[in-house]
Amino acid sequence: MPAPAWHAGVSLLDGWLPLTIQIAVGVLLVVVVGWRTRRWRTLWLPVASGVGLLVALLAMWYVNANALATDPAPMSLWVWIGITAAALAVAVLGWRGARWWRRVLSVPAIPLGLLCTGLVLNQWVGYFPTVQEAWAQITAGPLPDQVDAAQLGALQGKGSTMTTGRLVGVNIPDTASHFVHREEYVYLPPAWFTGAHHPRLPVLTMIGGEFNTPADWIRTGGAITTVDSYAKSHHGQAPILVFADSGGSFNNDTECVNGPRGNAADHLTEDLRPYVISHFGASSAAADWGVVGFSMGGTCAVDLAVMHPELFSSFEDIAGDEGPIVGTKQLTIKELYGGSTAAWAKFDPLTVMAGHARYTDTAGWFVNSSPGSEPGGRGKWGGPHANGRGGTGGRQGGHRHGGSMTRPGPTGFGGRDIPGDGMGGQAADAQKLCAAAGKKGISCTLHYQPEGHTWQLAAASFSEAFPWLAGHVHTPNAPAGA
């Protein structure tokens, strides 16, 4: 499957723009600081520098203490955080004795420092690949293939002439879960519009990361490009995609469980799934449903599949953790489950699989980044349980960017592995989960992509796995188990 073209616009990940902005802001900050007086240079400038250093160290400590990052942050992130804090200190401490023009320049220097911090952060995580994507996200611009629900009826019977599917926003009632959520989206392939009656198509539920919106898979993950491309080469046939809201807000990390942060699991299984079946005529068979997730969403994908084989038969876990986690095990039990160890065990995939009867029709596809070699010196080809049955399955993925990178790509943010908790990184987590799954009859493979923990990894991984997913959920015209 062709991966989305990330360079269809002015890049925010590499190229001239991020570097130019940072150089320009650096020059401005030098002018703002200035030579000034001896007292300024020997007293207040060192104080401002100390403030910047302290803030940078505190930011570094916070990220590490809360295990917010899977991959080490670039040093330039901490540098710009420190510079921005120092710029604020310079403006405050040097305001009284500064000339009027220096005061004027010191004010925009602070938000411009924040802008550079944001640019470096974005280069790390790859959330906004281009200026155009960033603007569309910030301004809530139209999504690819999006139409109003009222327009769907007029398209019925025109599927054979359509070159792309259609995306529609839905407000799914929270009758079962009482989970307050945002607008979600449903993608309908051209085949859905063919004939007088809608075919009972299979479904893939799409779940994003810890910090997310339901549209992330659409805007940044390139999911619509991937599914439209597949449908075009398969006579309009493709699964229905449901872009779910697993958080309710941008930074509510539910890990798709039921608990104090909301009944996200019930929303996905008891609200969303029945709604898609009843409103869009989707297949209700578990064999025709799959779950795809990135980062936290990858953890959700495994959890939903092993907990509910009566609802889902397939999953793709892209850089997920060993299980739902927001810190140490003790903190996770407290924050996610209100202190209930029993609730933790109910949603822990290893515990669930250990206590479950043998699975009969569940399959999984694990993906992780592989910039070098995987843990244990096993290289890029997976460990001894790479296919869940003691084989060597799992092939290395290729570089999926449309265009060349002039420097290393973004590396990643959002993983939750905690040193010393027994979880040895997400690649090791995948190996452990796949090995346990294989013992219970779940067929799974391990795959690697040369990306960090970023949306570029998610996009490339979904594109690569899509033919397999389409086949396993019985998409018409797709080879079984492709």
Side-chain angles (χ1 to χ4, degrees):
M1 292 293 297
W6 292 107
H7 294 272
V10 180
S11 176
L12 289 174
L13 301 181
D14 53 19
W16 65 271
L17 184 60
L19 181 61
T20 300
I21 292 175
Q22 291 177 66
I23 291 174
V25 174
V27 171
L28 173 64
L29 289 171
V30 170
V31 173
V32 168
V33 170
W35 191 246
R36 305 198 194 189
T37 65
R38 179 179 178 84
R39 180 177 175 82
W40 167 253
R41 298 191 300 273
T42 58
L43 176 60
W44 297 120
L45 185 56
V47 170
S49 300
V51 170
L53 178 62
L54 178 62
V55 171
L57 291 174
L58 286 173
M60 185 184 300
W61 169 84
Y62 181 82
V63 169
N64 293 333
N66 289 276
L68 295 179
T70 295
D71 303 305
M75 183 56 66
S76 55
L77 177 63
W78 312 123
V79 169
W80 274 110
I81 290 175
I83 288 175
T84 303
L88 176 59
V90 165
V92 173
L93 298 174
W95 187 267
R96 178 173 296 182
R99 296 182 179 181
W100 68 267
W101 58 267
R102 203 184 298 275
R103 290 182 182 180
V104 171
L105 292 178
S106 68
V107 174
I110 300 167
L112 287 173
L114 289 173
L115 172 63
C116 290
T117 302
L119 283 172
V120 174
L121 177 62
N122 184 66
Q123 288 176 316
W124 183 28
V125 304
Y127 194 71
F128 298 123
T130 65
V131 173
Q132 289 83 346
E133 287 293 338
W135 180 254
Q137 181 90 318
I138 293 169
T139 60
L143 296 165
D145 298 350
Q146 187 172 10
V147 297
D148 293 330
Q151 297 176 264
L152 295 179
L155 294 171
Q156 193 58 40
K158 299 180 180 179
S160 60
T161 63
M162 295 170 61
T163 58
T164 64
R166 294 296 184 268
L167 183 76
V168 61
V170 292
N171 292 300
I172 299 175
D174 60 0
T175 308
S177 68
H178 305 293
F179 180 71
V180 179
H181 59 87
R182 295 161 290 183
E183 183 180 38
E184 294 162 301
Y185 300 92
V186 175
Y187 167 88
L188 302 167
W192 191 82
F193 298 94
T194 303
H197 302 285
H198 303 302
R200 292 197 172 278
L201 294 174
V203 181
L204 295 177
T205 301
M206 310 291 295
I207 305 174
E210 174 189 352
F211 305 103
N212 75 86
T213 73
D216 286 351
W217 264 114
I218 304 167
R219 291 194 188 280
T220 313
I224 299 299
T225 300
T226 294
V227 67
D228 271 344
S229 176
Y230 180 90
K232 188 175 182 179
S233 62
H234 289 78
H235 309 289
Q237 297 284 357
I240 294 171
L241 302 189
V242 185
F243 299 93
D245 184 8
S246 62
S249 63
F250 183 75
N251 61 345
N252 183 34
D253 183 11
T254 68
E255 299 285 314
C256 299
V257 306
N258 294 332
R261 299 183 179 185
N263 295 329
D266 285 351
H267 172 64
L268 296 171
T269 58
E270 299 180 29
D271 292 334
L272 183 146
R273 191 178 187 277
Y275 180 91
V276 173
I277 293 170
S278 63
H279 282 71
F280 297 100
S283 171
S284 61
D288 298 342
W289 277 72
V291 192
V292 178
F294 165 56
S295 193
M296 178 204 75
T299 308
C300 299
V302 176
D303 226 8
L304 288 167
V306 301
M307 288 181 67
H308 298 286
E310 78 283 3
L311 301 180
F312 306 98
S313 67
S314 313
F315 67 87
E316 183 183 12
D317 172 3
I318 306 170
D321 290 318
E322 183 180 305
I325 182 173
V326 295
T328 62
K329 179 178 178 181
Q330 293 74 18
L331 182 62
T332 296
I333 291 173
K334 176 185 176 183
E335 295 292 330
L336 283 185
Y337 306 106
S340 172
T341 303
W344 172 86
K346 180 181 178 181
F347 285 96
D348 177 64
L350 290 173
T351 304
V352 171
M353 286 190 285
H356 199 281
R358 190 170 182 82
Y359 295 82
T360 58
D361 188 31
T362 301
W365 180 296
F366 291 92
V367 189
N368 277 283
S369 59
S370 182
S373 62
E374 293 307 36
R378 296 187 178 113
K380 300 181 180 180
W381 300 90
H385 300 287
N387 67 352
R389 299 173 189 261
T392 59
R395 59 190 175 86
Q396 179 193 0
H399 198 284
R400 311 293 290 191
H401 281 250
S404 60
M405 295 290 287
T406 57
R407 56 170 178 72
T411 52
F413 179 79
R416 303 303 299 237
D417 280 326
I418 306 297
D421 71 346
M423 297 185 178
Q426 288 158 343
D429 291 347
Q431 291 177 358
K432 188 174 182 179
L433 286 166
C434 194
K439 293 176 182 178
K440 284 291 186 173
I442 298 175
S443 173
C444 63
T445 52
L446 298 173
H447 303 255
Y448 301 98
Q449 289 280 350
E451 306 283 357
H453 193 96
T454 68
W455 273 106
Q456 284 66 53
L457 169 68
S461 300
F462 179 59
S463 177
E464 183 183 25
F466 193 82
W468 174 83
L469 288 162
H472 203 272
V473 296
H474 306 110
T475 303
N477 296 335

